[in-house]
PDB file of all heavy atoms in Angstrom:
ATOM      1  N   ASP A1269     158.611  47.837 176.386  1.00  0.00           N
ATOM      2  CA  ASP A1269     158.495  48.685 175.200  1.00  0.00           C
ATOM      3  C   ASP A1269     157.058  48.738 174.675  1.00  0.00           C
ATOM      4  O   ASP A1269     156.817  48.905 173.491  1.00  0.00           O
ATOM      5  CB  ASP A1269     159.468  48.253 174.104  1.00  0.00           C
ATOM      6  CG  ASP A1269     159.398  46.765 173.822  1.00  0.00           C
ATOM      7  OD1 ASP A1269     158.518  46.087 174.413  1.00  0.00           O
ATOM      8  OD2 ASP A1269     160.224  46.279 173.038  1.00  0.00           O
ATOM      9  N   TYR A1271     153.359  50.536 174.521  1.00  0.00           N
ATOM     10  CA  TYR A1271     152.804  51.896 174.630  1.00  0.00           C
ATOM     11  C   TYR A1271     151.383  51.839 175.183  1.00  0.00           C
ATOM     12  O   TYR A1271     150.676  50.844 175.023  1.00  0.00           O
ATOM     13  CB  TYR A1271     152.821  52.573 173.260  1.00  0.00           C
ATOM     14  CG  TYR A1271     154.230  52.761 172.742  1.00  0.00           C
ATOM     15  CD1 TYR A1271     154.831  51.785 171.951  1.00  0.00           C
ATOM     16  CD2 TYR A1271     154.963  53.885 173.086  1.00  0.00           C
ATOM     17  CE1 TYR A1271     156.136  51.947 171.499  1.00  0.00           C
ATOM     18  CE2 TYR A1271     156.266  54.049 172.643  1.00  0.00           C
ATOM     19  CZ  TYR A1271     156.853  53.079 171.851  1.00  0.00           C
ATOM     20  OH  TYR A1271     158.137  53.247 171.423  1.00  0.00           O
ATOM     21  N   PRO A1304     146.861  66.416 177.802  1.00  0.00           N
ATOM     22  CA  PRO A1304     146.770  65.535 176.633  1.00  0.00           C
ATOM     23  C   PRO A1304     148.138  65.057 176.164  1.00  0.00           C
ATOM     24  O   PRO A1304     149.068  65.853 176.066  1.00  0.00           O
ATOM     25  CB  PRO A1304     146.107  66.419 175.563  1.00  0.00           C
ATOM     26  CG  PRO A1304     146.236  67.818 176.044  1.00  0.00           C
ATOM     27  CD  PRO A1304     146.400  67.783 177.517  1.00  0.00           C
ATOM     28  N   PRO A1306     149.880  61.885 173.315  1.00  0.00           N
ATOM     29  CA  PRO A1306     149.583  60.799 172.364  1.00  0.00           C
ATOM     30  C   PRO A1306     149.908  59.451 173.000  1.00  0.00           C
ATOM     31  O   PRO A1306     151.059  59.190 173.322  1.00  0.00           O
ATOM     32  CB  PRO A1306     150.517  61.092 171.180  1.00  0.00           C
ATOM     33  CG  PRO A1306     151.603  61.952 171.719  1.00  0.00           C
ATOM     34  CD  PRO A1306     151.119  62.614 172.977  1.00  0.00           C
ATOM     35  N   CYS A1308     150.068  56.658 171.747  1.00  0.00           N
ATOM     36  CA  CYS A1308     150.866  55.777 170.888  1.00  0.00           C
ATOM     37  C   CYS A1308     152.350  55.968 171.116  1.00  0.00           C
ATOM     38  O   CYS A1308     153.159  55.193 170.621  1.00  0.00           O
ATOM     39  CB  CYS A1308     150.526  55.992 169.417  1.00  0.00           C
ATOM     40  SG  CYS A1308     151.206  57.506 168.719  1.00  0.00           S
ATOM     41  N   VAL A1313     155.057  51.766 180.965  1.00  0.00           N
ATOM     42  CA  VAL A1313     155.749  51.729 182.262  1.00  0.00           C
ATOM     43  C   VAL A1313     155.782  53.113 182.912  1.00  0.00           C
ATOM     44  O   VAL A1313     155.889  53.225 184.129  1.00  0.00           O
ATOM     45  CB  VAL A1313     157.202  51.218 182.141  1.00  0.00           C
ATOM     46  CG1 VAL A1313     157.210  49.726 181.958  1.00  0.00           C
ATOM     47  CG2 VAL A1313     157.945  51.905 181.017  1.00  0.00           C
ATOM     48  N   ARG A1314     155.706  54.128 182.104  1.00  0.00           N
ATOM     49  CA  ARG A1314     155.756  55.481 182.650  1.00  0.00           C
ATOM     50  C   ARG A1314     154.435  55.919 183.278  1.00  0.00           C
ATOM     51  O   ARG A1314     154.323  57.019 183.812  1.00  0.00           O
ATOM     52  CB  ARG A1314     156.136  56.468 181.558  1.00  0.00           C
ATOM     53  CG  ARG A1314     157.602  56.409 181.239  1.00  0.00           C
ATOM     54  CD  ARG A1314     157.975  57.515 180.302  1.00  0.00           C
ATOM     55  NE  ARG A1314     159.403  57.746 180.353  1.00  0.00           N
ATOM     56  CZ  ARG A1314     160.038  58.572 179.532  1.00  0.00           C
ATOM     57  NH1 ARG A1314     159.375  59.224 178.609  1.00  0.00           N
ATOM     58  NH2 ARG A1314     161.331  58.743 179.639  1.00  0.00           N
ATOM     59  N   LYS A1364     142.484  78.083 181.174  1.00  0.00           N
ATOM     60  CA  LYS A1364     143.220  79.091 180.431  1.00  0.00           C
ATOM     61  C   LYS A1364     142.241  79.885 179.583  1.00  0.00           C
ATOM     62  O   LYS A1364     141.292  79.326 179.035  1.00  0.00           O
ATOM     63  CB  LYS A1364     144.257  78.423 179.523  1.00  0.00           C
ATOM     64  CG  LYS A1364     145.481  78.029 180.294  1.00  0.00           C
ATOM     65  CD  LYS A1364     146.504  77.393 179.375  1.00  0.00           C
ATOM     66  CE  LYS A1364     147.498  76.616 180.192  1.00  0.00           C
ATOM     67  NZ  LYS A1364     147.643  75.232 179.809  1.00  0.00           N
TER      68      LYS A1364
ATOM     69  N   ILE B 947     162.856  47.481 173.437  1.00  0.00           N
ATOM     70  CA  ILE B 947     163.482  47.696 174.737  1.00  0.00           C
ATOM     71  C   ILE B 947     163.368  46.395 175.530  1.00  0.00           C
ATOM     72  O   ILE B 947     162.269  45.893 175.757  1.00  0.00           O
ATOM     73  CB  ILE B 947     162.775  48.840 175.505  1.00  0.00           C
ATOM     74  CG1 ILE B 947     162.849  50.152 174.690  1.00  0.00           C
ATOM     75  CG2 ILE B 947     163.382  49.015 176.889  1.00  0.00           C
ATOM     76  CD1 ILE B 947     162.015  51.272 175.257  1.00  0.00           C
ATOM     77  N   ILE B 972     166.053  57.290 177.622  1.00  0.00           N
ATOM     78  CA  ILE B 972     164.873  57.726 176.883  1.00  0.00           C
ATOM     79  C   ILE B 972     164.377  59.012 177.528  1.00  0.00           C
ATOM     80  O   ILE B 972     164.242  59.106 178.749  1.00  0.00           O
ATOM     81  CB  ILE B 972     163.760  56.666 176.821  1.00  0.00           C
ATOM     82  CG1 ILE B 972     163.572  55.990 178.174  1.00  0.00           C
ATOM     83  CG2 ILE B 972     164.050  55.652 175.745  1.00  0.00           C
ATOM     84  CD1 ILE B 972     162.315  55.174 178.215  1.00  0.00           C
ATOM     85  N   ALA B 973     164.166  59.992 176.690  1.00  0.00           N
ATOM     86  CA  ALA B 973     163.713  61.281 177.187  1.00  0.00           C
ATOM     87  C   ALA B 973     162.192  61.293 177.146  1.00  0.00           C
ATOM     88  O   ALA B 973     161.542  60.528 177.849  1.00  0.00           O
ATOM     89  CB  ALA B 973     164.332  62.379 176.346  1.00  0.00           C
ATOM     90  N   GLY B 974     161.591  62.102 176.310  1.00  0.00           N
ATOM     91  CA  GLY B 974     160.139  62.120 176.216  1.00  0.00           C
ATOM     92  C   GLY B 974     159.617  60.870 175.528  1.00  0.00           C
ATOM     93  O   GLY B 974     158.567  60.345 175.860  1.00  0.00           O
ATOM     94  N   LYS B 979     159.231  55.174 168.467  1.00  0.00           N
ATOM     95  CA  LYS B 979     158.635  54.217 167.540  1.00  0.00           C
ATOM     96  C   LYS B 979     159.312  54.224 166.181  1.00  0.00           C
ATOM     97  O   LYS B 979     159.243  53.264 165.441  1.00  0.00           O
ATOM     98  CB  LYS B 979     157.160  54.559 167.355  1.00  0.00           C
ATOM     99  CG  LYS B 979     156.274  53.601 168.087  1.00  0.00           C
ATOM    100  CD  LYS B 979     154.864  53.715 167.608  1.00  0.00           C
ATOM    101  CE  LYS B 979     153.997  52.826 168.459  1.00  0.00           C
ATOM    102  NZ  LYS B 979     152.590  53.136 168.308  1.00  0.00           N
ATOM    103  N   ASP B 990     165.284  55.643 182.289  1.00  0.00           N
ATOM    104  CA  ASP B 990     164.237  56.664 182.319  1.00  0.00           C
ATOM    105  C   ASP B 990     164.573  57.705 183.388  1.00  0.00           C
ATOM    106  O   ASP B 990     164.829  57.365 184.540  1.00  0.00           O
ATOM    107  CB  ASP B 990     162.900  55.975 182.635  1.00  0.00           C
ATOM    108  CG  ASP B 990     161.732  56.941 182.547  1.00  0.00           C
ATOM    109  OD1 ASP B 990     161.969  58.158 182.384  1.00  0.00           O
ATOM    110  OD2 ASP B 990     160.586  56.477 182.654  1.00  0.00           O
ATOM    111  N   SER B1042     149.681  67.953 172.359  1.00  0.00           N
ATOM    112  CA  SER B1042     149.835  66.680 173.058  1.00  0.00           C
ATOM    113  C   SER B1042     151.242  66.126 172.862  1.00  0.00           C
ATOM    114  O   SER B1042     151.843  65.604 173.800  1.00  0.00           O
ATOM    115  CB  SER B1042     148.773  65.672 172.631  1.00  0.00           C
ATOM    116  OG  SER B1042     148.910  65.362 171.282  1.00  0.00           O
ATOM    117  N   ASN B1045     153.536  67.957 175.057  1.00  0.00           N
ATOM    118  CA  ASN B1045     153.459  67.555 176.460  1.00  0.00           C
ATOM    119  C   ASN B1045     154.337  66.346 176.742  1.00  0.00           C
ATOM    120  O   ASN B1045     154.610  66.010 177.892  1.00  0.00           O
ATOM    121  CB  ASN B1045     152.014  67.207 176.834  1.00  0.00           C
ATOM    122  CG  ASN B1045     151.201  68.444 177.156  1.00  0.00           C
ATOM    123  OD1 ASN B1045     151.741  69.429 177.657  1.00  0.00           O
ATOM    124  ND2 ASN B1045     149.904  68.401 176.874  1.00  0.00           N
TER     125      ASN B1045
END
Side-chain angles (χ1 to χ4, degrees):
Chain A
D1269 50 5
Y1271 296 91
C1308 75
V1313 284
R1314 284 188 160 173
K1364 280 181 198 125
Chain B
I947 301 171
I972 43 168
K979 255 195 185 165
D990 186 353
S1042 64
N1045 278 329

